[in-house]
Amino acid sequence: DIQMTQSPSFLSASVGDRVTINCKASQNINKYLNWYQQKLGEAPKLLIYNTNNLQTGIPSRFSGSGSGTDYTLTISSLQPEDVATYFCLQHSSRPDTFGAGTKLELK
Amino acid sequence: EVQLVETGGGLVQPGRSLKLSCVASGFTFNNYWMSWTRQAPGKGLEWVASITNSGGSTYYPDSVKGRFTISRDNAQNTLYLQMNSLRSEDTATYYCTRDGDSSPFDYWGQGVMVTVSS
């Protein structure tokens, strides 16, 4: 199985900050990498699919990049409503596997 | 609007069975693969099962293979997860998810809690 190592586990930032979250795969996943946002008590929501494609309705301050084994989610200007846990998912090969999550809080 | 509504969760003893249902609306159900994903309390997410749009093929990780069965009724727009021989480590919130045109897990239901305990 492909292991997804997500960092950091916890992140505290201020409104307006640029925030980056990383996922590293144990092998090349050919850009089959998604990012999800999960707010407290809610279901996960797809933000970005296949590394850098913004899901419909997601604000443009969210972006993704990466290749090979290393991928990044960037929030260009943090907003209060972005407080959530963020997960990555690789769907390059079964079983699809998730990162452990990054909990993002406001400073 | 895509909606996925899960039911059937609850408290069950180890070794017993439980069946989850997910009613889908807002899209043409029989055009899409569907999956179940779970999240143990305070833990990350784990893919549990997937089924093709026709129901002809199913896929599972080793952790549930032989115990869980995913199925669907396209006439009723409903996805199922039959869980047998339940273990304490199966305690989790179970999410019904759609596998979209460009990506798996593009829409998620609100989830249903399953607690396996004596």
Side-chain angles (χ1 to χ4, degrees), chain A residues 20-95:
Chain A
T20 60
I21 297 169
N22 301 293
C23 263
K24 186 175 184 68
S26 58
Q27 64 190 69
N28 184 0
I29 57 171
N30 297 299
K31 297 195 171 188
Y32 290 108
L33 190 285
N34 292 359
W35 291 99
Y36 296 85
Q37 176 193 66
Q38 185 176 29
K39 296 183 178 180
L40 196 63
E42 297 184 7
K45 178 195 295 185
L46 177 62
L47 299 176
I48 290 170
Y49 62 93
N50 299 342
T51 296
N52 56 10
N53 295 279
L54 203 62
Q55 176 70 339
T56 303
I58 301 302
S60 60
R61 64 179 179 275
F62 292 93
S63 64
S65 62
S67 63
T69 61
D70 295 293
Y71 297 84
T72 300
L73 171 70
T74 300
I75 307 173
S76 60
S77 178
L78 186 67
Q79 300 302 303
E81 60 268 30
D82 300 335
V83 169
T85 298
Y86 293 83
F87 294 93
C88 62
L89 162 78
Q90 72 78 23
H91 57 102
S92 174
S93 67
R94 286 202 184 272

Side-chain angles (χ1 to χ4, degrees), chain A residues 34 36 38 41-46 49-50 55 87 89 91 94-96 98-100, chain B residues 33 37 39 44-47 50 59 61 95 99 102-110:
Chain A
N34 292 359
Y36 296 85
Q38 185 176 29
E42 297 184 7
K45 178 195 295 185
L46 177 62
Y49 62 93
N50 299 342
Q55 176 70 339
F87 294 93
L89 162 78
H91 57 102
R94 286 202 184 272
D96 298 350
F98 292 86
Chain B
W33 288 38
T37 302
Q39 186 172 35
L45 293 155
E46 179 188 19
W47 165 67
S50 293
Y59 304 89
Y95 295 99
D99 290 355
S102 301
S103 164
F105 313 114
D106 66 344
Y107 286 95
W108 298 58
Q110 280 301 110

Side-chain angles (χ1 to χ4, degrees), chain B residues 65-111:
Chain B
K65 196 176 294 181
R67 300 189 299 122
F68 288 14
T69 302
I70 188 172
S71 61
R72 64 192 296 162
D73 181 343
N74 284 343
Q76 299 294 323
N77 287 356
T78 303
L79 179 72
Y80 301 101
L81 184 68
Q82 175 69 46
M83 303 184 292
N84 298 332
S85 303
L86 282 162
R87 306 167 180 168
S88 58
E89 55 263 37
D90 297 319
T91 294
T93 297
Y94 285 73
Y95 295 99
C96 169
T97 60
R98 190 185 82 164
D99 290 355
D101 297 320
S102 301
S103 164
F105 313 114
D106 66 344
Y107 286 95
W108 298 58
Q110 280 301 110

